[in-house]
């Protein structure tokens, strides 16, 4: 089993690894995830999509007798 400290350290190493051979889109997204505004907007978009799906399928979610 990997401890959370080891796992976090490994993730940090991956994120801090040199940008050699990484596509520009990956580099762009890597920068965006450090923006609080970007993350808040992404969470809002995800919540909106999920809410829309729940409303569309509300009949499927009702309990049947």
């Amino acid at each position: 089993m990997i401890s959370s400290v080891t796992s976090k350290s490994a993730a940090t190493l991956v994120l801090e690894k040199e940008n050699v051979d990484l596509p520009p889109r990956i580099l762009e997204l890597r920068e965006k995830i450090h923006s609080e505004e970007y993350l808040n907007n992404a969470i809002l978009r995800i919540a909106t999509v999920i809410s829309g799906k729940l409303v569309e399928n509300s009949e499927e979610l009702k309990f049947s007798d």
Side-chain angles (χ1 to χ4, degrees), residues 49-62:
V49 169
I50 291 172
S51 297
K53 295 291 183 181
L54 290 172
V55 169
E56 287 174 10
N57 300 322
S58 62
E59 290 298 319
E60 295 176 17
L61 299 173
K62 290 184 179 177

Side-chain angles (χ1 to χ4, degrees), residues 4 11 63:
S4 61
F63 291 107

Side-chain angles (χ1 to χ4, degrees), residues 12-43:
T12 302
L13 287 174
V14 170
L15 290 175
E16 292 177 351
K17 187 178 176 183
E18 285 189 35
N19 299 332
V20 178
D21 298 329
L22 291 176
R25 179 70 175 145
I26 298 296
L27 297 174
E28 177 187 348
L29 291 172
R30 185 180 279 181
E31 287 182 30
K32 285 183 176 183
I33 63 171
H34 295 290
S35 163
E36 187 174 342
E37 181 181 3
Y38 176 81
L39 291 177
N40 288 336
N41 287 332
I43 292 167

